[in-house]
Amino acid sequence: MCRLAAYMGPEIFISSLVTEPKHSLIHQSYHAKERIEPLNGDGFGIGWYAPQFCDTPAMFKEVSPAWSNQNLRDVARVTKSSCIFAHVRAATIGGHLSRTNCHPFTWKNYMFMHNGTVFGFEKIRRSLRRQLSDETYEMVKGTTDSEHIFGLFADRVADFTEPTLDNLAESLIGAIGDIEKLKSDAGIDTPSTLNLVLSDGSRMVATRYVTRGDDSNSLYFASAGQYSCIEGVCHMDEGEDAFLVVSEPLDGSQTWQRVVNNHMILVDEHKQVLLRSIEL
Amino acid sequence: MCRLAAYMGPEIFISSLVTEPKHSLIHQSYHAKERIEPLNGDGFGIGWYAPQFCDTPAMFKEVSPAWSNQNLRDVARVTKSSCIFAHVRAATIGGHLSRTNCHPFTWKNYMFMHNGTVFGFEKIRRSLRRQLSDETYEMVKGTTDSEHIFGLFADRVADFTEPTLDNLAESLIGAIGDIEKLKSDAGIDTPSTLNLVLSDGSRMVATRYVTRGDDSNSLYFASAGQYSCIEGVCHMDEGEDAFLVVSEPLDGSQTWQRVVNNHMILVDEHKQVLLRSIEL
Amino acid sequence: MCRLAAYMGPEIFISSLVTEPKHSLIHQSYHAKERIEPLNGDGFGIGWYAPQFCDTPAMFKEVSPAWSNQNLRDVARVTKSSCIFAHVRAATIGGHLSRTNCHPFTWKNYMFMHNGTVFGFEKIRRSLRRQLSDETYEMVKGTTDSEHIFGLFADRVADFTEPTLDNLAESLIGAIGDIEKLKSDAGIDTPSTLNLVLSDGSRMVATRYVTRGDDSNSLYFASAGQYSCIEGVCHMDEGEDAFLVVSEPLDGSQTWQRVVNNHMILVDEHKQVLLRSIEL
Amino acid sequence: MCRLAAYMGPEIFISSLVTEPKHSLIHQSYHAKERIEPLNGDGFGIGWYAPQFCDTPAMFKEVSPAWSNQNLRDVARVTKSSCIFAHVRAATIGGHLSRTNCHPFTWKNYMFMHNGTVFGFEKIRRSLRRQLSDETYEMVKGTTDSEHIFGLFADRVADFTEPTLDNLAESLIGAIGDIEKLKSDAGIDTPSTLNLVLSDGSRMVATRYVTRGDDSNSLYFASAGQYSCIEGVCHMDEGEDAFLVVSEPLDGSQTWQRVVNNHMILVDEHKQVLLRSIEL
């Protein structure tokens, strides 16, 4: 599994997500709470939209642990952005690590990350790839279930010239449906846990999904305030509108609301938040 | 803290220590049991005496976690030795990692590793270095307490042309005494935990030491048999003489004996084992 | 591009290929002579058959430069084998590096490496993958032309229960033919340079190939002697039979013979060497 | 040796130094022109003063080559600063690499880097360290001649509460003098090449120095204009004041002036440039 955090709102330092909160993403890289396995030491990634580069988010990804990366600390300390993704990864023990397989993934102006697993993915990878467009086939460089889901999204969203927020949500749900259909066609009965976060820099969609039952991974959000982190404690004060979505609360404060299982969050360019149940 | 394992006896594959046991050193790198903090993801090292290279042990050390290192798995799988050291490291969170600071350390035909901490070490580093010989001053390349203890040992053992096993033990205890004196001179009251393992390829000395009280790190040994690991379970069968010393048992079997606090183990070239209390 | 060296014969230390010769493979990693671009700093790999592990060669591969890797030096210094592959890589400047894309590649008891380029490969990758068997589709983990050629070989050699040396050669030439046909079908006119080396631990096949003309990469071999490297100078003394194939001579001695363009070398289990022109 | 570049002036993207010029610092990492050895593949570093962090420059340093680092490209692409240092390193072949030994170095609000070598440094390291203050002794974490020179500077500049530009220059020249005296006291006759660059974020000092003769490393500067890099070509247009100092011109344009041997450049907070000969 993995842990993730995303932010959209007035510019903040990346460190406000990644290093400063008591239970920051770096802290979650070695002490995650809401998972049996507390360790996310198989790489990390941050992605952010820089002021003059809304069309191509910047990425900083490594296969080594987040907790010992001095460059990450320094880049996070001095870099501001109004849209930030951060991810720490736990791969299978003994598995091969590659930067290509680190989240977030980007394509055009989109950024994407995933917490969860498509169990049995290796059995559908080939049929999945067969149905990708040529462009998306080349775009997917790595071997993860996550990046392939992003590929399915990419093919679906390409149908819209200027996709609305609903189009983004629809394309993401469509990708989840594609995965479920591929598994069903292959007679695979194991569940998928698909906590997905997608943004184009000004809008965001996040899902908390499991194939059936209630064993999805945890997901929380905070909204309708101005986010800051002071001495390890996260604040959402009244004022400007910010939005955060996280695998685990970044501290013990009251800031965080749990997302209900099999629901999704849509955030528009004004940071208006809409909760919707996921119907495939 | 850290976890360590050492072997001396008939040639075995390095994997018998590092990957195959149920609670192998790689397993301890992410799931150590006898420590509050279960994670040792800040680098690893293996050192071994290869058949024709008794004078210069070979080293494989990395700052990345042991659990995801494919090269480690392959080298351990096919490499045999009659004297093997293995170490997984936990550094301070946020601290800088360097291969130079990874255990084991070597000098001439000696190999050395440490589990524990000299609390307050940064306050005595300069005075410690001042008392090193020029040769040892250059030999100590890194910044750890561990390597500096090895330096103190090196200066002491250099007094003996052909050191006996007792000379090795005496030099190691002398180095512990040097540390305690330097701390005392500097008015430092915090304890030191010094589980040290030293070998010259044919003999071994290991200590379980804490300045006072009984909060030393755990240490176990196994001896007087032929070591093998079959389907994750460690065996010490009658037959040839082997010796192992480990921070934690490598499995749940009856193979392992706890070393009493503030005691040391001396192993001679015939794998005869002597336990002795540590008197500074 | 890349530089490679392979050895088969009585056991030698890996260092005899990789570090000791005056123009060793490590030296070629920063000072290759027979290429316009002298730098091969984008990773390296060594593969070797260890005495008791003829079925699964051991691999040591990294994305960092060979010249500064201390672990490589130490492993090469103390490890002996009767069949060794070594490779230093030059990727496209700015391209993404991944251990998965480092040579040599292994599958079952085979080891494979490549020096050269299939120009226009990205245009045939998808159609190539479409014709792989399911097993080979999963075996090819990376994105290089090289590993895909190995996949084509794997599918062809699988037709033989106990492949003879001729079957190995035939399968390798078949894979070259597959590439040329895929390019031709796609209307791709650019050449391929395919210096390939393949072994199963007791036999070896090596090709020097270019689609047309004489711009293939250089390739040399040495045979019918006992190989040793003394103070940087390579010797093939009379006595036991050894075989070496290299991109560039490992020193300035008379040991090395140039392989003629579009020819292949077959080496049987008795190190008998057969030169044959490549006919697709 | 190494290659370096530094900028001070209106905010520019780091990429304008590091990736965009035809002969950018990344290009110099594999194709340096004004050295016998064209390769600087043993690590790199960039340091910059971020708008709200003038007291603590941010650092991005790695031991791997600059040319293949995707994170460097992305951070450089979107990050602006009014004071930037960049450095690519060539260590001794076979030497051990550590991030601690990568340039630039920082201490308080100072940033420092070096191109050159104190030949025979290992013979004066211990006596040099003996004369450092306790604070500076702890500040110097690595083993390079470069960082120790920075330590000597640190002790000298600490004498000034609010050092003027002249004080900075004087302290840097004092450090060079310290080195020469230590070598002379030790009977060391080999030269030192000391191209040093120092900044506190608003002022800069750079030296081109060799102990004697004219074999110093090359150094160039550009000033009195507005720097930009368009399609690989560097421009210093009239307008705002910027200053650059580089080991080699970043392109073939007329922008660059050679610094005379054993001279230094002082740049004040208004980017006024003063050239002065170095008198120890």
Side-chain angles (χ1 to χ4, degrees):
Chain A
M1 304 287 187
C2 311
R3 298 283 86 173
L4 57 77
Y7 171 87
M8 203 163 64
E11 284 194 356
I12 58 168
F13 288 107
I14 294 174
S15 54
S16 304
L17 286 186
V18 168
T19 56
E20 291 173 26
K22 273 201 183 143
H23 194 52
S24 70
L25 211 68
I26 281 200
H27 193 255
Q28 293 179 33
S29 72
Y30 57 94
H31 261 170
K33 288 174 183 166
E34 306 201 9
R35 298 176 52 220
I36 294 167
E37 172 57 70
L39 181 57
N40 294 281
D42 297 324
F44 68 86
I46 53 173
W48 69 100
Y49 293 87
Q52 299 169 43
F53 297 93
C54 299
D55 288 352
T56 321
M59 306 292 291
F60 184 154
K61 312 202 288 189
E62 283 284 354
V63 296
S64 51
W67 65 73
S68 58
N69 198 290
Q70 303 280 347
N71 292 331
L72 172 61
R73 282 177 193 270
D74 248 25
V75 169
R77 179 172 63 85
V78 304
T79 304
K80 288 180 106 167
S81 171
S82 59
C83 186
I84 304 164
F85 277 33
H87 191 276
V88 290
R89 187 164 180 237
T92 313
I93 288 296
H96 174 59
L97 303 182
S98 157
R99 185 181 183 274
T100 315
N101 287 340
C102 288
H103 307 228
F105 303 99
T106 61
W107 172 71
K108 293 187 176 167
N109 59 330
Y110 296 106
M111 203 151 52
F112 173 85
M113 58 185 172
H114 171 209
N115 160 223
T117 307
V118 178
F119 293 98
F121 176 68
E122 59 289 349
K123 291 182 195 142
I124 60 165
R125 187 185 346 232
R126 191 169 194 176
S127 49
L128 187 163
R129 289 186 70 83
R130 206 172 284 129
Q131 74 184 54
L132 295 178
S133 71
D134 279 351
E135 185 188 356
T136 303
Y137 188 91
E138 285 305 313
M139 167 203 124
V140 178
K141 301 284 187 208
T143 56
T144 58
D145 50 2
S146 313
E147 194 185 8
H148 283 85
I149 297 167
F150 189 37
L152 294 169
F153 164 84
D155 270 345
R156 285 180 168 270
V157 84
D159 290 344
F160 306 100
T161 322
E162 292 193 11
T164 63
L165 179 56
D166 271 335
N167 296 152
L168 296 183
E170 187 182 320
S171 301
L172 202 61
I173 299 305
I176 295 179
D178 291 340
I179 290 288
E180 296 295 18
K181 176 152 195 332
L182 283 159
K183 282 170 60 183
S184 162
D185 289 353
I188 297 170
D189 205 28
T190 46
S192 301
T193 49
L194 297 172
N195 288 10
L196 310 174
V197 187
L198 175 96
S199 180
D200 67 350
S202 64
R203 299 168 297 176
M204 200 180 284
V205 183
T207 66
R208 182 181 181 204
Y209 174 83
V210 65
T211 305
R212 64 185 167 278
D214 54 2
D215 287 334
S216 65
N217 293 315
S218 60
L219 195 71
Y220 297 81
F221 77 101
S223 73
Q226 177 167 5
Y227 174 76
S228 61
C229 182
I230 301 165
E231 295 185 2
V233 182
C234 303
H235 300 269
M236 278 301 256
D237 299 321
E238 288 184 35
E240 291 197 68
D241 284 322
F243 173 80
L244 290 104
V245 60
V246 294
S247 296
E248 299 184 12
L250 300 183
D251 67 356
S253 72
Q254 302 302 313
T255 307
W256 310 99
Q257 301 180 52
R258 181 178 277 268
V259 178
V260 177
N261 202 10
N262 285 351
H263 274 66
M264 69 192 305
I265 312 176
L266 287 74
V267 190
D268 71 13
E269 52 269 62
H270 309 295
K271 279 82 197 178
Q272 296 300 310
V273 175
L274 187 69
L275 279 145
R276 190 183 285 177
S277 77
I278 297 175
E279 316 282 351
L280 296 190
Chain B
M1 304 286 187
C2 310
R3 299 284 85 173
L4 57 76
Y7 171 87
M8 204 163 64
E11 283 193 357
I12 58 168
F13 287 106
I14 294 174
S15 54
S16 304
L17 286 187
V18 168
T19 56
E20 291 172 26
K22 273 201 183 144
H23 194 51
S24 70
L25 211 68
I26 281 200
H27 193 254
Q28 293 179 35
S29 73
Y30 57 94
H31 260 170
K33 288 175 184 166
E34 306 202 8
R35 298 175 54 218
I36 294 166
E37 172 57 69
L39 181 56
N40 293 281
D42 297 324
F44 68 86
I46 52 174
W48 70 99
Y49 293 87
Q52 300 168 42
F53 297 94
C54 299
D55 288 351
T56 320
M59 306 292 290
F60 185 153
K61 311 202 289 190
E62 283 285 353
V63 295
S64 51
W67 66 74
S68 57
N69 198 290
Q70 303 281 348
N71 292 331
L72 172 61
R73 282 175 194 269
D74 247 25
V75 169
R77 179 173 64 86
V78 304
T79 304
K80 289 180 105 167
S81 171
S82 59
C83 185
I84 304 163
F85 276 35
H87 190 277
V88 289
R89 187 164 181 239
T92 313
I93 289 294
H96 174 59
L97 304 181
S98 157
R99 186 181 182 273
T100 314
N101 287 341
C102 287
H103 306 228
F105 302 98
T106 61
W107 173 71
K108 294 187 176 168
N109 58 330
Y110 295 108
M111 202 149 56
F112 172 86
M113 59 184 171
H114 171 210
N115 161 223
T117 306
V118 178
F119 293 98
F121 176 68
E122 59 289 347
K123 292 181 195 143
I124 60 165
R125 191 189 339 237
R126 191 167 193 177
S127 48
L128 187 163
R129 288 187 69 84
R130 205 172 284 129
Q131 74 182 55
L132 294 178
S133 70
D134 279 350
E135 185 188 356
T136 303
Y137 188 91
E138 284 306 313
M139 166 202 125
V140 178
K141 301 283 187 210
T143 55
T144 57
D145 50 2
S146 312
E147 194 185 7
H148 283 86
I149 297 167
F150 188 37
L152 293 168
F153 164 84
D155 271 346
R156 286 180 167 269
V157 84
D159 290 344
F160 305 102
T161 322
E162 293 192 12
T164 63
L165 179 57
D166 270 336
N167 296 153
L168 296 183
E170 188 181 319
S171 302
L172 202 61
I173 299 305
I176 295 178
D178 290 341
I179 290 288
E180 296 295 16
K181 177 154 194 332
L182 282 159
K183 283 170 59 183
S184 162
D185 289 353
I188 297 170
D189 206 28
T190 46
S192 301
T193 50
L194 298 172
N195 288 10
L196 311 175
V197 187
L198 175 96
S199 180
D200 66 351
S202 64
R203 298 168 299 177
M204 201 180 283
V205 183
T207 66
R208 182 181 181 204
Y209 174 82
V210 65
T211 304
R212 64 184 168 280
D214 53 2
D215 288 334
S216 65
N217 293 316
S218 60
L219 196 72
Y220 297 81
F221 76 101
S223 73
Q226 177 167 5
Y227 174 75
S228 61
C229 182
I230 300 164
E231 295 184 3
V233 183
C234 302
H235 300 269
M236 276 302 254
D237 299 321
E238 288 183 35
E240 292 197 67
D241 284 322
F243 172 80
L244 291 103
V245 60
V246 294
S247 297
E248 299 184 11
L250 301 183
D251 67 355
S253 72
Q254 302 301 314
T255 306
W256 310 97
Q257 302 179 53
R258 181 179 278 267
V259 179
V260 177
N261 201 10
N262 285 352
H263 274 67
M264 69 191 307
I265 312 175
L266 287 75
V267 190
D268 72 12
E269 51 269 63
H270 309 295
K271 278 81 196 178
Q272 296 300 310
V273 175
L274 187 70
L275 279 145
R276 192 184 283 178
S277 77
I278 297 174
E279 315 283 350
L280 295 191
Chain C
M1 302 305 168
C2 310
R3 299 284 85 173
L4 57 78
Y7 171 86
M8 203 164 62
E11 283 194 356
I12 58 167
F13 288 106
I14 294 173
S15 54
S16 305
L17 286 186
V18 169
T19 56
E20 290 172 27
K22 273 200 184 145
H23 194 51
S24 69
L25 210 68
I26 280 200
H27 193 254
Q28 293 180 33
S29 72
Y30 58 94
H31 260 169
K33 288 174 182 165
E34 306 202 8
R35 300 174 52 218
I36 295 166
E37 170 59 68
L39 181 56
N40 294 281
D42 297 324
F44 68 85
I46 52 172
W48 70 99
Y49 293 86
Q52 300 168 41
F53 296 93
C54 299
D55 288 351
T56 321
M59 308 292 291
F60 184 152
K61 312 203 288 189
E62 284 283 354
V63 295
S64 51
W67 64 73
S68 58
N69 198 291
Q70 303 281 349
N71 292 331
L72 172 61
R73 281 176 194 269
D74 247 25
V75 169
R77 178 174 63 85
V78 303
T79 304
K80 290 180 104 166
S81 170
S82 58
C83 185
I84 303 165
F85 276 35
H87 191 276
V88 290
R89 187 164 182 240
T92 313
I93 288 294
H96 174 60
L97 304 181
S98 156
R99 185 180 183 275
T100 314
N101 287 341
C102 287
H103 306 227
F105 302 98
T106 62
W107 171 72
K108 293 187 176 167
N109 59 330
Y110 295 107
M111 203 149 55
F112 172 87
M113 58 186 173
H114 171 210
N115 160 222
T117 306
V118 178
F119 294 98
F121 176 68
E122 58 290 349
K123 291 182 196 142
I124 61 164
R125 191 190 338 239
R126 189 168 194 176
S127 49
L128 187 161
R129 288 186 69 83
R130 206 172 285 131
Q131 74 183 55
L132 295 178
S133 70
D134 279 350
E135 186 188 354
T136 302
Y137 188 91
E138 285 305 313
M139 167 202 123
V140 179
K141 301 283 187 209
T143 55
T144 57
D145 51 0
S146 313
E147 194 185 8
H148 283 86
I149 297 166
F150 188 36
L152 294 168
F153 165 83
D155 270 346
R156 285 180 168 271
V157 84
D159 290 345
F160 305 101
T161 322
E162 293 192 10
T164 64
L165 179 56
D166 270 336
N167 295 154
L168 296 183
E170 186 182 319
S171 302
L172 203 60
I173 299 306
I176 295 179
D178 291 339
I179 290 288
E180 296 294 17
K181 175 152 196 333
L182 282 159
K183 283 170 60 184
S184 162
D185 289 353
I188 298 170
D189 206 28
T190 46
S192 301
T193 50
L194 298 172
N195 288 10
L196 310 175
V197 187
L198 175 96
S199 179
D200 66 351
S202 63
R203 300 168 297 176
M204 200 180 283
V205 183
T207 66
R208 182 182 183 204
Y209 174 83
V210 65
T211 304
R212 63 186 167 279
D214 54 3
D215 288 334
S216 64
N217 293 316
S218 60
L219 195 71
Y220 297 81
F221 77 101
S223 72
Q226 177 168 4
Y227 174 75
S228 62
C229 182
I230 300 165
E231 296 184 1
V233 182
C234 301
H235 300 269
M236 277 300 257
D237 299 321
E238 288 185 34
E240 292 196 67
D241 284 321
F243 173 80
L244 290 102
V245 61
V246 296
S247 297
E248 299 184 11
L250 301 183
D251 68 355
S253 72
Q254 301 301 313
T255 306
W256 310 98
Q257 301 180 54
R258 181 178 277 267
V259 179
V260 177
N261 201 9
N262 285 350
H263 274 66
M264 68 191 309
I265 312 175
L266 287 74
V267 190
D268 71 12
E269 51 270 62
H270 309 295
K271 278 83 198 175
Q272 296 300 311
V273 175
L274 187 68
L275 279 145
R276 191 184 284 177
S277 77
I278 297 175
E279 316 282 351
L280 295 194
Chain D
M1 304 286 189
C2 310
R3 299 284 87 172
L4 56 78
Y7 171 86
M8 204 163 63
E11 284 195 356
I12 58 167
F13 287 107
I14 294 174
S15 54
S16 304
L17 286 186
V18 169
T19 56
E20 289 172 27
K22 271 200 185 145
H23 194 50
S24 69
L25 210 68
I26 281 200
H27 194 254
Q28 293 180 33
S29 72
Y30 58 92
H31 260 170
K33 288 175 183 167
E34 305 202 9
R35 299 174 53 218
I36 294 166
E37 170 59 68
L39 181 55
N40 294 280
D42 297 323
F44 67 86
I46 51 173
W48 70 100
Y49 293 86
Q52 300 168 42
F53 296 94
C54 299
D55 289 351
T56 321
M59 307 292 290
F60 184 153
K61 312 203 288 190
E62 284 284 354
V63 295
S64 51
W67 64 73
S68 58
N69 198 290
Q70 303 281 348
N71 292 331
L72 172 61
R73 281 176 194 270
D74 247 25
V75 169
R77 180 173 62 86
V78 303
T79 304
K80 289 180 103 166
S81 171
S82 59
C83 185
I84 304 164
F85 276 36
H87 191 277
V88 290
R89 187 164 182 239
T92 313
I93 287 295
H96 173 60
L97 305 182
S98 157
R99 185 180 182 274
T100 315
N101 287 341
C102 288
H103 306 228
F105 302 99
T106 62
W107 171 71
K108 292 187 175 166
N109 58 329
Y110 296 108
M111 203 149 55
F112 173 87
M113 57 186 173
H114 171 210
N115 160 222
T117 307
V118 178
F119 294 99
F121 176 67
E122 58 291 347
K123 292 180 194 142
I124 60 163
R125 189 186 343 233
R126 191 168 192 176
S127 49
L128 187 162
R129 288 186 70 84
R130 206 173 284 129
Q131 74 183 54
L132 295 178
S133 71
D134 279 350
E135 187 188 353
T136 303
Y137 187 91
E138 284 305 314
M139 168 202 122
V140 178
K141 301 284 186 210
T143 55
T144 57
D145 50 1
S146 312
E147 195 186 7
H148 283 86
I149 297 166
F150 188 36
L152 294 168
F153 164 83
D155 271 346
R156 285 180 168 272
V157 84
D159 290 344
F160 306 100
T161 322
E162 293 193 11
T164 63
L165 179 57
D166 270 336
N167 297 153
L168 295 183
E170 186 183 318
S171 302
L172 202 61
I173 299 305
I176 295 178
D178 291 339
I179 290 288
E180 296 295 16
K181 177 155 195 329
L182 282 159
K183 283 170 59 183
S184 162
D185 290 352
I188 297 170
D189 206 29
T190 45
S192 300
T193 49
L194 298 172
N195 289 10
L196 311 175
V197 187
L198 175 97
S199 180
D200 66 351
S202 63
R203 299 168 298 176
M204 200 180 283
V205 184
T207 67
R208 183 182 181 203
Y209 174 83
V210 64
T211 305
R212 65 188 165 277
D214 54 2
D215 288 335
S216 65
N217 293 315
S218 61
L219 195 71
Y220 297 81
F221 76 101
S223 72
Q226 176 168 5
Y227 174 75
S228 62
C229 182
I230 300 165
E231 294 184 3
V233 182
C234 302
H235 300 269
M236 277 301 256
D237 299 320
E238 288 184 34
E240 293 196 65
D241 284 321
F243 173 80
L244 290 103
V245 61
V246 295
S247 297
E248 300 184 11
L250 300 183
D251 67 356
S253 72
Q254 302 301 313
T255 307
W256 311 98
Q257 302 180 53
R258 181 179 278 266
V259 179
V260 177
N261 201 10
N262 285 351
H263 274 66
M264 67 193 308
I265 312 175
L266 286 74
V267 189
D268 71 12
E269 51 269 62
H270 309 294
K271 278 84 198 176
Q272 296 300 310
V273 175
L274 187 69
L275 279 145
R276 191 184 284 178
S277 78
I278 297 175
E279 316 283 350
L280 295 192

